[in-house]
Amino acid sequence: MVAFPEVRRIEYEGPQSRNPLAFRWYNPDEVIAGKSMRDHLRFSVVYWHTFRGTGSDPFGAPTMVRPWDDGSDSVANAIQRVRVAFEFFEKLGCPYYAFHDRDVAPEGATLADSNRSLDAVVAVMKEEQQRTGVRLLWGTANLFSDPRYMHGAATSPNADVFAHAAAQVKKCMEVTHELGGENYVFWGGREGYQNLLNTDLKRELDHLAAFFHLAVDYAKKIGFHGQFLIEPKPKEPTKHQYDSDAAACINFLRTYGLTDHFRLNIETNHATLAGHTMQHELEYAAIQGMLGSIDANTGDLLLGWDTDQFPTNIYLTTEIMLTLLRHGGLKTGGTNFDAKLRRESTDPIDLFYAHIGGMDAFARGLRIANSIQGDDQIRQILADRYASWNVGMGSEIEARKHDFKSLEQYALQKGNPAPNQSGRQELLENLLNRHF
Ligand code: XUL
Ligand code: CO
């Protein structure tokens, strides 16, 4: 079947185009700052929202009834969905996709049944990857939906649940490897706690670290060289998520000797739920060599939960691309649209509008960020602000040539420091706006 007969391959038509099924800013082959836009952005579609999202919410039933989906949990239906998904990726010109094991294939009565179904669907995914050239950005195991994981997976108080989760991840790593996945993601959906009366915090964190070490060992065993990624997120679903933000994740990884094996997958709406900006989270991870990939979406200023909207704000995408350009860009990672249509956007064609908009917003952000990078006025103000560190006392302190005693001597002799110069924030904001 052809699921989207009215759509042909989405092409770049330039900013003047009025065609809603064309790119106005994303021109994959165009080279910016020495690299094609395709390689800078490495776009990816998520299977869970785009092909399993139904529009249901805690107050109401599904609103998106897809003509290709018979609504059953059968393997045949799952396979039909794979064919449609690849038609979509191909027509969109999106080079990557990402999935959870339970998005692509149904969970069976036993783990063995689930594994058999997964194998059957993965065979078709592999065939479709070969047919279209679309690649797998990452795979991940759903360790949060089934009630067995209600108290956590790797951090469950029940050792049998830990073992079950390990078995599920083992299988998911195998299929990710089979499909040539470039990364493997852990989002600790249920890894957290609601209260300390029933929680041994230290023991749970030790178990989480043990789980990750087992994954690293198994990757070596099967020859999987993809990058492991942890996706920070605070307060949803548990009150205290262990991987609450970039700083918490990096501290955890360092404490347990895992920084060589993991990087972070930073998601915009998770950053804002943590009380940070996306750019802060990216910058914080990047300066420590821990930035791996991004889950591209946006939240809503007025809503305090993970709304996972498609990103269209060009200021946001510019900030993201600015940090990426400054820190050498995405390596194995991608720009993965972990975003879903609003419940009221019910037509299959809305999937195209949403992704085209997100891709164009990032492409435009890349163009603007590149222009900002070349702005010598902005660069000069930043350089001047730290000028005192380039000579004399500043350079000596940086070279660790002083102790508190010699600094005291210097301060006593020098008298009060000269008044600080203006931070020039308003001027810098004006200069930034010249690039939009
Ligand atoms: C949840 C979330 C996940 C991860 C993968 O908020 O972002 O979909 O990206 O498990
Ligand atoms: Co995500």
Side-chain angles (χ1 to χ4, degrees):
M1 82 173 278
V2 178
F4 307 100
E6 72 278 43
V7 182
R8 281 181 305 171
R9 169 103 184 189
I10 309 298
E11 303 286 354
Y12 172 71
E13 291 184 5
Q16 305 312 320
S17 173
R18 289 174 56 83
N19 176 4
L21 291 172
F23 296 119
R24 299 170 70 247
W25 304 97
Y26 179 55
N27 186 13
D29 292 318
E30 188 178 331
V31 172
I32 295 204
K35 216 157 67 170
S36 72
M37 294 186 95
R38 182 187 292 105
D39 290 345
H40 272 289
L41 293 162
R42 296 169 58 83
F43 286 125
S44 166
V45 172
V46 304
Y47 208 93
W48 51 100
H49 289 315
T50 300
F51 292 99
R52 303 311 308 273
T54 62
S56 67
D57 71 10
F59 305 97
T63 55
M64 301 165 191
V65 182
R66 302 305 188 202
W68 57 81
D69 199 310
D70 68 16
S72 80
D73 247 354
S74 71
V75 169
N77 192 32
I79 288 174
Q80 166 90 324
R81 227 185 262 126
V82 170
R83 305 274 186 214
V84 173
F86 278 82
E87 180 192 335
F88 180 79
F89 306 151
E90 200 181 14
K91 286 185 166 169
L92 187 63
C94 190
Y96 288 99
Y97 73 109
F99 69 87
H100 299 87
D101 49 1
R102 302 297 177 248
D103 310 328
V104 290
E107 172 134 21
T110 65
L111 185 60
D113 284 348
S114 302
N115 289 349
R116 255 190 303 278
S117 299
L118 187 56
D119 283 336
V121 179
V122 164
V124 180
M125 290 158 76
K126 194 169 179 182
E127 188 189 304
E128 288 290 309
Q129 284 188 199
Q130 276 155 2
R131 182 184 69 77
T132 59
V134 172
R135 289 182 285 166
L136 177 60
L137 186 68
W138 47 264
T140 188
N142 179 331
L143 303 179
F144 44 89
S145 294
D146 192 276
R148 76 173 68 89
Y149 296 125
M150 65 195 277
H151 299 295
T155 64
S156 173
N158 180 346
D160 286 350
V161 172
F162 181 103
H164 195 98
Q168 199 181 320
V169 168
K170 171 182 176 288
K171 179 67 183 174
C172 193
M173 282 171 63
E174 287 163 8
V175 304
T176 299
H177 185 37
E178 165 88 12
L179 292 170
E182 299 186 21
N183 306 268
Y184 184 91
V185 164
F186 290 94
W187 168 57
R190 302 278 170 193
E191 318 292 20
Y193 68 95
Q194 308 289 5
N195 78 80
L196 286 171
L197 291 172
N198 67 5
T199 302
D200 185 334
L201 188 67
K202 167 84 165 65
R203 210 164 181 186
E204 292 201 0
L205 288 172
D206 286 351
H207 293 166
L208 186 57
F211 197 88
F212 290 144
H213 276 290
L214 293 174
V216 170
D217 293 346
Y218 194 63
K220 277 192 200 129
K221 189 151 192 195
I222 62 174
F224 174 64
H225 299 296
Q227 175 68 53
F228 282 121
L229 298 168
I230 291 189
E231 184 173 319
K233 180 179 181 179
K235 72 186 173 192
E236 195 194 78
T238 70
K239 183 161 136 183
H240 295 280
Q241 290 287 121
Y242 291 135
D243 301 331
S244 55
D245 65 0
C249 286
I250 293 171
N251 182 56
F252 169 84
L253 291 169
R254 200 162 276 145
T255 301
Y256 288 98
L258 285 158
T259 38
D260 287 348
H261 306 288
F262 284 80
R263 287 186 176 190
L264 302 186
N265 181 38
I266 309 269
E267 176 164 329
T268 316
N269 208 165
H270 298 179
T272 50
L273 286 177
H276 302 306
T277 60
M278 178 63 165
Q279 198 182 14
H280 166 83
E281 287 289 85
L282 292 171
E283 196 77 26
Y284 191 86
I287 58 168
Q288 311 203 42
M290 294 296 286
L291 176 54
S293 195
I294 66 178
D295 267 13
N297 61 20
T298 192
D300 186 301
L301 277 181
L302 304 183
L303 301 174
W305 68 90
D306 201 15
T307 58
D308 283 346
Q309 289 165 234
F310 276 86
T312 55
N313 182 328
I314 297 155
Y315 251 89
L316 169 70
T317 56
T318 299
E319 286 175 357
I320 293 172
M321 294 317 298
L322 203 50
T323 291
L324 288 179
L325 284 180
R326 281 188 189 143
H327 294 282
L330 297 165
K331 307 273 182 329
T332 64
T335 305
N336 183 49
F337 289 110
D338 192 356
K340 62 183 179 211
L341 297 177
R342 295 308 87 194
R343 186 164 189 265
E344 304 82 356
S345 303
T346 49
D347 297 342
I349 195 76
D350 290 316
L351 292 170
F352 277 96
Y353 296 145
H355 284 86
I356 291 168
M359 290 163 83
D360 260 351
F362 266 87
R364 200 167 174 191
L366 168 62
R367 292 171 187 275
I368 298 169
N370 184 46
S371 154
I372 294 168
Q373 278 283 81
D375 188 319
D376 52 353
Q377 281 176 290
I378 293 178
R379 203 176 313 124
Q380 195 58 50
I381 293 172
L382 182 64
D384 287 350
R385 193 151 186 257
Y386 291 89
S388 72
W389 291 93
N390 300 336
V391 290
M393 201 52 178
S395 65
E396 288 173 25
I397 297 172
E398 281 194 351
R400 298 279 172 97
K401 288 189 182 150
H402 284 277
D403 56 18
F404 267 12
K405 204 153 175 258
S406 65
L407 289 171
E408 182 192 45
Q409 246 166 22
Y410 175 82
L412 287 170
Q413 209 176 48
K414 182 91 190 178
N416 283 339
N420 285 320
Q421 290 173 351
S422 166
R424 297 269 185 264
Q425 178 166 331
E426 296 77 9
L427 170 61
L428 282 163
E429 286 166 347
N430 298 348
L431 293 177
L432 192 85
N433 271 352
R434 289 189 193 166
H435 296 273
F436 283 81

